[in-house]
């Protein structure tokens, strides 16, 4: 199995006698994008701050690329890149000079600047002043800056905030490219669950300071199927409580493995099947089920 880039081990935080974060354990893997979600006040912000060294845990440890953040902060944090909502740039300087300024802080060679500029598609505008950039271009420049020192772990707070649909799609493609081609572990937080669903490979949900769910979005989550059949009364009698009437058909709650057996049962009973299709729950619906309807919060 792939070794995680980041390991959050038994992380706890107590503030003014209140146990805010409770034994949080999370692994983040190279090439994988994780959506970190939670209702307002769930503890997501506190967890993120401890993962980036902005706050010390009461107990527990964060291991980044094999180095303890608590024991060797500088070495561990050198593997981390962060993008917050609306990245701060020197607007009177060109995009390239902004990157040069950051590169000097990290001893990054010119060849790496040129590489990240090309990766985010800014080569045609990089020598223009940032004040002439659109919001989408500034977001891409922020991504280039965060990736300049070749981090193994990238944290993004509301990365698509303020972007139009085309800008969101473009930014999403760049993130997925970075994850796969540079083998970076990426964590994304956003209140736009429909967008999170398109970006991430899995989600981690925190509530009341505890991780309540870690789920791969590629996993089969279908448990309901919509059917249109003939002999409706006979079908309702045969399916019993498993079936609920909806529109011109029925919704049946069964697992994917049970579908073939259920279909054979209907055929043997002489029931005509016109339609059978899975009902896939959106991430938003899954989130509400997991948290009991708590409002989603971004990293603040």
């Amino acid at each position: 199995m792939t070794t995680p880039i980041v390991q959050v081990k038994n992380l706890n935080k107590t503030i003014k006698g209140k146990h805010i974060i409770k034994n949080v354990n999370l692994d983040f893997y190279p090439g994988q994008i994780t959506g970190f979600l939670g209702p307002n006040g769930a503890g997501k912000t506190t967890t993120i701050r401890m993962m980036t060294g902005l706050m010390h845990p009461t107990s527990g440890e964060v291991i980044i690329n094999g180095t303890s953040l608590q024991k060797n902060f500088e070495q561990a944090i050198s593997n981390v890149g962060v993008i917050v909502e609306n990245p701060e740039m020197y607007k009177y300087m060109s995009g390239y000079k902004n990157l040069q300024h950051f590169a000097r802080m990290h001893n990054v060679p010119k060849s790496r600047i040129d590489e990240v500029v090309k990766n985010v598609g800014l080569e045609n505008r990089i020598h223009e002043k940032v004040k002439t950039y659109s919001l989408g271009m500034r977001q891409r420049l922020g991504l280039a800056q965060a990736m300049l020192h070749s981090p193994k772990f990238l944290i993004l707070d509301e990365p698509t905030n303020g972007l139009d649909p085309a800008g969101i799609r473009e930014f999403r493609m760049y993130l997925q490219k970075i994850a796969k081609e540079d083998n970076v572990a990426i964590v994304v937080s956003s209140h736009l669950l429909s967008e999170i669903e398109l970006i991430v490979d899995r989600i981690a949900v925190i509530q009341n300071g505890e991780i309540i769910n870690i789920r791969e979005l590629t996993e089969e989550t279908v448990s309901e199927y919509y059917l249109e059949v003939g002999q409706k009364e006979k079908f309702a009698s045969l399916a019993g409580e498993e079936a609920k009437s909806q529109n011109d058909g029925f919704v049946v709650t069964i697992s994917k493995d049970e579908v073939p057996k259920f279909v054979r049962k209907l055929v043997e009973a002489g029931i005509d099947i016109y339609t059978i299709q899975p009902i896939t729950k959106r991430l938003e619906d899954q989130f509400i089920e997991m948290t009991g309807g708590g409002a989603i919060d971004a990293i603040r």
Side-chain angles (χ1 to χ4, degrees):
M1 185 176 178
T2 304
T3 302
I5 290 292
V6 177
Q7 296 172 286
V8 178
K9 297 184 175 182
N10 300 314
L11 213 59
N12 286 271
K13 184 64 178 180
T14 300
I15 300 176
K16 295 181 179 180
K18 186 176 181 181
H19 199 178
I20 305 296
I21 303 300
K22 308 163 187 174
N23 294 314
V24 166
N25 289 277
L26 280 171
D27 290 337
F28 299 100
Y29 294 90
Q32 187 178 61
I33 305 177
T34 301
F36 191 37
L37 312 175
N40 295 329
K44 179 159 49 56
T45 301
T46 303
T47 302
I48 289 290
R49 286 175 178 166
M50 288 190 286
M51 287 166 55
T52 54
L54 296 175
M55 182 181 288
H56 294 289
T58 302
S59 64
E61 193 172 26
V62 178
I63 307 294
I64 303 175
N65 201 30
T67 301
S68 170
L69 185 65
Q70 285 67 45
K71 296 176 182 176
N72 192 337
F73 175 80
E74 288 190 8
Q75 183 177 336
I77 207 66
S78 68
N79 292 287
V80 180
V82 180
I83 301 178
V84 297
E85 180 182 345
N86 301 326
E88 290 296 324
M89 300 287 174
Y90 295 107
K91 294 182 175 61
Y92 61 88
M93 292 167 53
S94 70
Y96 194 84
K97 286 190 180 297
N98 268 275
L99 294 181
Q100 279 185 317
H101 175 71
F102 190 78
R104 283 193 290 269
M105 298 167 57
H106 293 269
N107 297 316
V108 174
K110 179 182 180 299
S111 59
R112 177 59 181 168
I113 299 177
D114 296 336
E115 182 180 1
V116 296
V117 167
K118 184 178 180 180
N119 285 346
V120 300
L122 276 178
E123 57 263 51
N124 294 329
R125 300 286 301 275
I126 195 63
H127 293 290
E128 298 177 20
K129 290 185 177 180
V130 172
K131 66 181 181 181
T132 68
Y133 285 10
S134 66
L135 179 57
M137 290 173 64
R138 290 199 297 272
Q139 292 287 71
R140 278 191 274 161
L141 184 62
L143 181 58
Q145 178 178 295
M147 291 300 300
L148 202 55
H149 60 299
S150 303
K152 300 293 186 182
F153 184 47
L154 186 62
I155 300 174
L156 301 98
D157 168 19
E158 296 291 345
T160 59
N161 189 53
L163 298 182
D164 60 24
I168 290 174
R169 181 176 181 273
E170 189 177 62
F171 196 81
R172 180 172 70 239
M173 291 170 61
Y174 286 125
L175 287 186
Q176 292 169 334
K177 178 183 177 183
I178 287 169
K180 297 299 181 285
E181 294 184 5
D182 294 345
N183 221 23
V184 177
I186 300 178
V187 176
V188 182
S189 177
S190 174
H191 68 283
L192 300 174
L193 293 184
S194 59
E195 181 57 32
I196 282 280
E197 193 166 18
L198 295 175
I199 294 176
V200 306
D201 303 304
R202 67 167 185 166
I203 57 170
V205 181
I206 187 170
Q207 187 173 33
N208 297 322
E210 299 179 273
I211 299 298
I212 62 169
N213 197 291
I214 299 175
R215 178 178 299 178
E216 304 284 335
L217 291 191
T218 54
E219 286 182 352
E220 183 59 72
T221 58
V222 174
S223 61
E224 293 182 329
Y225 289 81
Y226 175 75
L227 293 94
E228 291 182 359
V229 298
Q231 303 84 34
K232 292 184 179 181
E233 291 184 4
K234 187 175 183 181
F235 173 85
S237 176
L238 185 67
E241 294 182 357
E242 289 182 338
K244 295 180 181 178
S245 179
Q246 180 175 302
N247 300 327
D248 293 328
F250 297 87
V251 172
V252 179
T253 303
I254 53 175
S255 69
K256 182 179 179 180
D257 292 339
E258 294 174 315
V259 171
K261 181 179 179 181
F262 185 73
V263 170
R264 284 196 297 270
K265 183 179 178 181
L266 299 181
V267 172
E268 290 170 359
I271 296 173
D272 299 322
I273 304 170
Y274 301 117
T275 299
I276 179 168
Q277 61 187 37
I279 300 174
T280 305
K281 293 182 180 178
R282 298 176 303 162
L283 178 57
E284 183 177 353
D285 298 325
Q286 297 177 45
F287 178 81
I288 290 172
E289 284 183 4
M290 284 184 270
T291 62
I296 186 67
D297 190 22
I299 302 174
R300 300 282 182 207

